[in-house]
Amino acid sequence: GRLYLNKVFHMSASKMFELLFTDSSFTQRFMKIRRITNPSSTAWQKDDSGNNKRTLSYTITINNPLIGKFSTATENQTLSKESREGQYYQVDAVVHTHDVPYHDHFYTQNRYYIIRVSKRKCRLRVYSDVKYSKPTFGLIKTFITKNSWSGIEDYFRQLEAELLEEEAEINQAVGES
Ligand code: YK8
C-alpha cells in the first residue's frame, strides 16, 4: 500500500481512536465537510477469530465530471485483535463504491495504525491500496487507478487538516503541557 498519512498528533491514542472510529462529533463534522450523507453504522462486535468488526454505509459526493455526482458506499472495518487499548490500534477498512463505473472490478483497502507516543501524543499512519477483484487491463485499469489515487489523496489530506483543527481545540481546553 501507499502511505497517505504519517503524523504525530498531540492527543492520546484512545482519543484518536474515538475520533475516527466511533460515532463522534468529529466524524459527523468531517462527513458534513466531505458531503457524505445517509451514514449508518453497526456497533463494534467481536467475531469468531477475536477481531472486532463493524460495517458503515453512506453516500459519497463525487467531484469528477466523468462520473455521476453520488455513489453509495460500504465500508467494512476490522479492529485487529493485536490492538491494545490506549497503546496500539490497527484498523483495516475495505471500501466498496457501488455506483461508479467498473464498481465490480475494484475496491479500496485502507489500513489505519494509531500508536501511542506518550500520554498525550500518538502517531497516525494510513496506508491505502486499490485492489482488483476481477482481471482489469489497459486503459480501464489506468483510469480506475488514477481516479482512485487522487480521490484518496484528497480525502486524507483533508482528514489531516481537520485532525489538526481538532487537536488545537483539545489542547486549548486541556492547557499546554
Ligand atoms: C472512506 C476510491 C475511488 C473512489 C472514486 C472512484 C472513481 C471511479 C473510477 C472510474 C470516486 C471514505 C473514491 C475516491 C471515493 C471515496 C472513497 C473514500 C474517500 C472513473 C473508473 C470514502 C475512504 C475512501 C476510500 C476510497 C475512496 C474511493 O472512509 O474515485
mmCIF file of all heavy atoms in Angstrom, residues 26 48 154:
data_model
loop_
_atom_site.group_PDB
_atom_site.id
_atom_site.type_symbol
_atom_site.label_atom_id
_atom_site.label_comp_id
_atom_site.label_asym_id
_atom_site.label_seq_id
_atom_site.Cartn_x
_atom_site.Cartn_y
_atom_site.Cartn_z
ATOM 1 N N PHE A 26 -16.659 14.667 15.794
ATOM 2 C CA PHE A 26 -15.637 14.895 14.763
ATOM 3 C C PHE A 26 -16.033 14.204 13.453
ATOM 4 O O PHE A 26 -16.015 14.812 12.378
ATOM 5 C CB PHE A 26 -14.265 14.394 15.217
ATOM 6 C CG PHE A 26 -13.214 14.496 14.136
ATOM 7 C CD1 PHE A 26 -12.580 15.700 13.875
ATOM 8 C CD2 PHE A 26 -12.903 13.386 13.351
ATOM 9 C CE1 PHE A 26 -11.639 15.805 12.854
ATOM 10 C CE2 PHE A 26 -11.961 13.485 12.323
ATOM 11 C CZ PHE A 26 -11.329 14.698 12.085
ATOM 12 N N ASP A 48 -15.619 -14.536 15.419
ATOM 13 C CA ASP A 48 -15.080 -15.822 15.901
ATOM 14 C C ASP A 48 -13.565 -15.809 16.051
ATOM 15 O O ASP A 48 -13.014 -16.497 16.905
ATOM 16 C CB ASP A 48 -15.473 -16.953 14.941
ATOM 17 C CG ASP A 48 -16.978 -17.105 14.850
ATOM 18 O OD1 ASP A 48 -17.669 -16.716 15.821
ATOM 19 O OD2 ASP A 48 -17.465 -17.587 13.816
ATOM 20 N N ASP A 154 -6.775 13.274 -1.741
ATOM 21 C CA ASP A 154 -7.548 14.444 -1.347
ATOM 22 C C ASP A 154 -8.254 14.209 -0.003
ATOM 23 O O ASP A 154 -8.243 15.075 0.877
ATOM 24 C CB ASP A 154 -8.569 14.721 -2.458
ATOM 25 C CG ASP A 154 -9.362 15.964 -2.191
ATOM 26 O OD1 ASP A 154 -8.744 17.034 -2.086
ATOM 27 O OD2 ASP A 154 -10.602 15.864 -2.054
#
